[in-house]
């Protein structure tokens, strides 16, 4: 899902050089890299996408001055060697996450002690209704507890490394309608915490811990309910805990990677189901229903974000939300959709011909975008500079649009003028995890350089991070027309050729990549080879 203008900026100082935690397993005390993830980091068969191992290119579909578009080689993208079901039989590694957060806090405050305090989301009703607001757990609470339930609290004693989960006591009236909740014993068996108490014990516990000499409580600003008091604590810090959680979330452990892979597997099945239905569908909302319904049928009841089901020219709108237009007479459908599994997201985009056959022009644009993605993935590994990967996407886009005659002139001058932002206005990708646009990327939305302004990650990529690679080329008249009126850019655009491409709308291809020491692992297996797309759609 591309970065939109309304995306939230995380304004913290990134500790990349200071804090680079290894991938850690459920065996919290060991601190060793888990076997599954370690193999992904070492096995060249699992991580072929390094600078030294470029994917071969061989096709004459569209030729660039410096490269050729490939078709058959693309299906050789690596598959994640992850035993998802076995890993997910274990507990969500909440105590390991808490340990990492404490290490981060102590990297900033060396003598930090006291308690971490977090609240989960409270159950609330819709205005003027007795129906509940759809529940979405606070991500910081989920990260340190693994609890996706309402009205819960966490206290973690730093000195003793002891975590206590507080859950709602049994309410007889609620049991009538909703059944029995988890008991403390069941919660202790299910979650990676040291103790479970009813939430009626929350304030007495805080009062006892706050009575220690020079006690400090670390909490997140605006996430402490009115009924909770920190009066007994000498010191209160409402800044560092939120920052610590957001930074630690960048590097995923084995369990988190398995959750993202599971979300990808379900989303891939849903994307396939849409391919099989699109040829006979009449309206975008039918296909949204197919995707959501398939996700639910595989156990994923929540979507990671609202689906984008954009046909024809609507595909040029990055975060198109209507999903209600007829498909008749349209060339392409852009489907940006991902399911969520236990609060972790997949974010996949595919663009394909509604009829089952690309037109010559739509195929040409698709091939360019696929080459952009292939080359950018080949650059990924630990320490890769995301700014440079993003620039490479623009270079390939410029080469491709030059080869079609849409752009004209010198490729270097076009890049320096930033004319390519008319056709690729968003960033190449973003971190992925519990949020679709995950934390820790340190974007700079005030950057005066338009090519980087909406790039959500502005750093070198650490091993264990998961990032989307989602290049696109769009023909949005609202965006492009001003470039045609600006002599700085119009000198590089052939408007007569451009006019032939408006109906292509937009093409975006998006996969989710796990960064490893020597390359990357593609967690997304949804079909994207153009010949295979045509085969599936035509055969449906």
């Amino acid at each position: 899902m591309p970065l939109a203008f309304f995306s939230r900026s995380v304004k913290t100082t990134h500790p990349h050089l200071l804090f680079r935690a290894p991938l850690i397993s459920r065996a919290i005390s060991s601190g060793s890299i888990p076997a599954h993830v370690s193999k992904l980091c070492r096995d060249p068969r699992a991580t072929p996408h390094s600078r030294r191992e470029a994917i071969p290119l061989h096709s004459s579909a569209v030729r660039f001055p410096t490269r050729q578009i490939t078709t058959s080689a693309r299906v050789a993208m690596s598959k994640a060697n992850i035993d998802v079901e076995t890993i997910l039989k274990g507990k969500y590694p909440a105590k390991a996450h808490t340990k990492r957060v404490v290490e981060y806090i102590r990297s900033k405050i060396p003598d930090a002690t006291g308690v971490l305090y977090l609240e989960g989301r409270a159950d609330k009703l819709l205005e003027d209704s007795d129906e509940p607001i759809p529940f979405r757990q606070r991500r910081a609470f989920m990260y340190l507890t693994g609890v996706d339930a309402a009205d819960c609290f966490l206290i973690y004693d730093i000195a003793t490394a002891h975590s206590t989960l507080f859950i709602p006591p049994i309410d007889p009236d609620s049991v009538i309608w909703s059944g029995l909740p988890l008991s403390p014993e069941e919660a202790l068996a299910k979650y990676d915490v040291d103790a479970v108490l009813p939430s009626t014990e929350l304030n007495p516990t805080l009062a006892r811990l706050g009575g220690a000499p020079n006690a400090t409580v670390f909490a997140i600003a605006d996430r402490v309910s009115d009924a909770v008091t920190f009066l007994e604590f000498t010191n209160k810090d409402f800044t560092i805990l939120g920052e610590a959680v957001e930074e630690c979330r960048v590097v995923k452990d084995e369990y988190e990677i398995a959750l993202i892979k599971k979300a990808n597997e379900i989303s891939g099945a849903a994307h396939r189901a849409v391919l099989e239905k699109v040829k006979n569908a009449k309206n975008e909302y039918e296909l949204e229903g197919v995707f959501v319904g398939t996700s639910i049928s595989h156990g994923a009841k929540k979507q990671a974000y609202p689906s984008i089901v954009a046909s024809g020219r609507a595909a040029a709108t990055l975060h198109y939300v209507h999903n209600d237009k007829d498909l008749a007479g349209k060339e392409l459908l852009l489907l940006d959709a991902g399911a969520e599994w236990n609060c972790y997201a997949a974010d996949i985009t595919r663009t394909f011909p509604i009829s089952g056959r690309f037109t010559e022009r739509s195929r040409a644009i698709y091939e360019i975008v696929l080459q952009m993605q292939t080359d950018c993935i080949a650059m990924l590994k630990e320490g890769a500079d995301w700014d440079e990967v993003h620039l490479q996407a623009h270079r390939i886009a410029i080469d491709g649009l030059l080869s079609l005659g849409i752009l004209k002139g010198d490729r270097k001058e076009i890049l320096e003028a930033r004319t390519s932002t008319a056709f690729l206005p968003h960033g190449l990708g973003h971190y992925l995890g519990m949020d679709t646009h995950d934390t820790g990327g340190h974007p700079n939305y005030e950057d005066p350089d338009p090519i980087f302004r909406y790039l959500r990650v502005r750093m070198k990529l650490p091993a264990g991070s998961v990032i989307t690679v989602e290049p696109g080329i769009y023909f949005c008249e609202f965006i492009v027309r001003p470039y045609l009126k600006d002599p700085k850019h119009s000198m590089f655009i052939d408007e007569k050729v451009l006019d032939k491409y408006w109906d292509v709308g937009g093409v975006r291809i998006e996969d989710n990549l796990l960064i490893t020491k020597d390359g990357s692992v593609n967690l997304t297996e949804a079909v994207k080879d153009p010949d295979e797309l045509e085969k599936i759609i035509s055969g449906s």
Side-chain angles (χ1 to χ4, degrees):
M1 189 176 190
L3 172 64
F5 302 107
F6 53 76
S7 295
R8 180 175 61 87
S9 173
V10 181
K11 297 182 179 178
T12 56
T13 301
H14 195 272
H16 176 66
L17 298 178
L18 175 68
F19 178 79
R20 181 180 297 173
L23 298 176
I24 46 181
S25 70
R26 299 185 306 277
I28 300 157
S29 60
S30 71
S32 60
I33 299 176
H36 294 84
V37 179
S38 179
K39 182 174 181 180
L40 291 177
C41 294
R42 296 194 308 264
D43 187 352
R45 293 170 298 176
T47 60
H49 305 310
S50 69
R51 292 180 187 271
R52 298 184 301 276
E53 298 176 287
I55 296 176
L57 308 176
H58 53 84
S59 172
S60 59
V62 177
R63 295 188 180 275
F64 295 168
T66 57
R67 59 179 58 80
Q68 298 177 19
I69 291 291
T70 181
T71 53
S72 61
R74 295 184 189 110
V75 296
M77 291 282 185
S78 64
K79 296 183 178 181
N81 186 18
I82 300 171
D83 188 351
V84 170
E85 301 306 325
T86 297
I87 294 170
L88 296 186
K89 287 179 181 178
K91 290 184 179 182
Y92 182 89
K95 288 192 285 188
H97 292 175
T98 309
K99 179 181 177 182
R100 291 179 58 193
V101 166
V102 170
E103 288 173 353
Y104 180 92
I105 292 173
R106 284 181 166 166
S107 74
K108 303 289 185 178
I109 308 172
D111 59 348
T113 188
V115 302
L116 309 183
Y117 174 79
L118 281 169
E119 295 186 3
R121 182 77 67 184
D123 244 345
K124 294 183 179 180
L125 299 180
L126 294 165
E127 291 184 4
D128 304 317
S129 173
D130 63 355
E131 290 297 321
I133 295 173
F135 179 75
R136 185 180 190 272
Q137 186 60 281
R138 285 174 169 163
R139 271 21 191 177
F141 186 82
M142 176 68 191
Y143 189 69
L144 296 188
T145 65
V147 177
D148 188 22
D151 301 310
C152 297
F153 309 83
L154 174 73
I155 294 176
Y156 180 84
D157 188 329
I158 295 175
T160 61
H162 187 274
S163 59
T164 303
L165 174 67
F166 296 83
I167 63 176
I170 293 177
D171 177 1
D173 288 337
S174 177
V175 172
I176 295 173
W177 305 103
S178 304
L180 283 168
L182 282 180
S183 68
E185 294 76 18
E186 291 170 327
L188 186 62
K190 182 175 182 179
Y191 301 119
D192 188 22
V193 294
D194 296 307
V196 179
L197 294 174
S199 56
T200 50
E201 295 298 315
L202 179 64
N203 274 328
T205 303
L206 285 170
R208 175 176 58 80
L209 293 170
N214 203 33
T216 300
V217 59
F218 297 92
I220 298 177
D222 302 319
R223 295 190 185 179
V224 179
S225 55
D226 293 339
V228 171
T229 175
F230 296 147
L231 292 177
E232 291 80 8
F233 286 89
T234 306
N235 305 301
K236 306 169 186 64
D237 188 313
F238 294 98
T239 303
I240 190 65
L241 178 56
E243 174 187 324
V245 172
E246 291 190 341
E247 298 300 334
C248 290
R249 281 170 55 184
V250 171
V251 175
K252 272 64 177 179
D253 55 41
E254 176 187 58
Y255 199 96
E256 292 178 287
I257 293 166
L259 289 170
I260 296 172
K261 184 65 172 68
K262 178 73 172 183
N264 263 267
E265 290 173 353
I266 294 171
S267 302
H271 272 270
R272 175 72 181 232
V274 171
L275 290 177
E276 294 172 350
K277 297 291 186 180
V278 64
K279 187 176 180 180
N280 298 313
K282 304 299 183 184
N283 193 285
E284 294 164 349
Y285 52 60
E286 296 176 50
L287 301 176
E288 181 177 18
V290 170
F291 189 92
V292 173
T294 303
S295 299
I296 293 173
S297 72
H298 284 74
K301 294 186 177 182
K302 294 182 180 180
Q303 296 294 293
Y305 54 93
S307 299
I308 298 168
V309 189
S311 59
R313 294 193 179 197
T317 300
L318 301 184
H319 283 182
Y320 176 76
V321 296
H322 303 292
N323 298 353
D324 61 359
K325 301 299 186 292
D326 289 338
L327 303 178
K330 312 287 183 62
E331 291 186 23
L332 298 177
L333 185 112
L334 187 153
L335 175 63
D336 185 338
E340 180 181 291
W341 188 261
N342 196 21
C343 295
Y344 280 76
D347 186 0
I348 303 171
T349 306
R350 292 294 183 262
T351 311
F352 41 86
I354 295 169
S355 69
R357 288 286 181 266
F358 285 99
T359 65
E360 180 180 356
R361 293 187 181 94
S362 63
R363 174 77 178 230
I365 298 301
Y366 189 92
E367 292 281 1
I368 295 168
V369 174
L370 195 50
Q371 188 69 63
M372 292 162 69
Q373 194 199 47
T374 299
D375 281 20
C376 288
I377 289 176
M379 298 173 68
L380 299 183
K381 63 177 179 179
E382 181 183 25
D385 188 326
W386 191 241
D387 279 18
E388 181 57 34
V389 181
H390 176 69
L391 277 177
Q392 181 66 3
H394 276 269
R395 294 187 189 104
I396 301 166
I398 291 168
D399 283 352
L401 295 176
L402 281 169
S403 73
L404 297 177
I406 296 171
L407 293 180
K408 58 185 179 180
D410 181 78
R411 68 192 295 264
K412 183 179 179 181
E413 292 178 358
I414 294 170
L415 181 62
E416 290 175 348
R418 301 319 199 212
T419 303
S420 55
T421 58
F423 304 99
L424 175 53
H426 63 74
L428 179 63
H430 49 81
Y431 284 140
L432 182 71
M434 283 191 282
D435 288 313
T436 305
H437 295 160
D438 216 24
T439 58
H442 302 281
N444 177 15
Y445 302 130
E446 305 302 322
D447 196 322
D449 189 338
I451 211 166
F452 294 117
R453 188 171 300 146
Y454 301 113
L455 188 60
R456 188 166 176 82
V457 175
R458 302 300 301 274
M459 55 184 287
K460 296 183 186 298
L461 304 178
S465 60
V466 177
I467 197 161
T468 66
V469 181
E470 49 180 307
I473 291 177
Y474 309 89
F475 300 95
C476 177
E477 292 198 58
F478 182 81
I479 294 175
V480 177
R481 291 292 182 193
Y483 284 75
L484 298 175
K485 296 176 182 179
D486 184 344
K488 174 185 175 181
H489 300 293
S490 62
M491 63 185 293
F492 297 121
I493 303 174
D494 190 323
E495 189 171 355
K496 289 184 178 179
V497 178
L498 173 62
D499 283 342
K500 301 175 183 178
Y501 285 85
W502 296 117
D503 285 339
V504 173
V507 173
R508 182 166 64 253
I509 306 170
E510 177 181 16
D511 290 353
N512 307 158
L513 280 298
L514 167 66
I515 304 302
T516 67
K517 182 178 184 298
D518 300 312
S520 68
V521 175
N522 199 332
L523 303 177
T524 304
E525 298 179 17
V527 174
K528 61 185 174 183
D529 178 85
D531 295 330
E532 186 67 16
L533 290 170
E534 289 184 335
K535 181 180 178 182
I536 294 170
I537 296 168
S538 297
S540 61

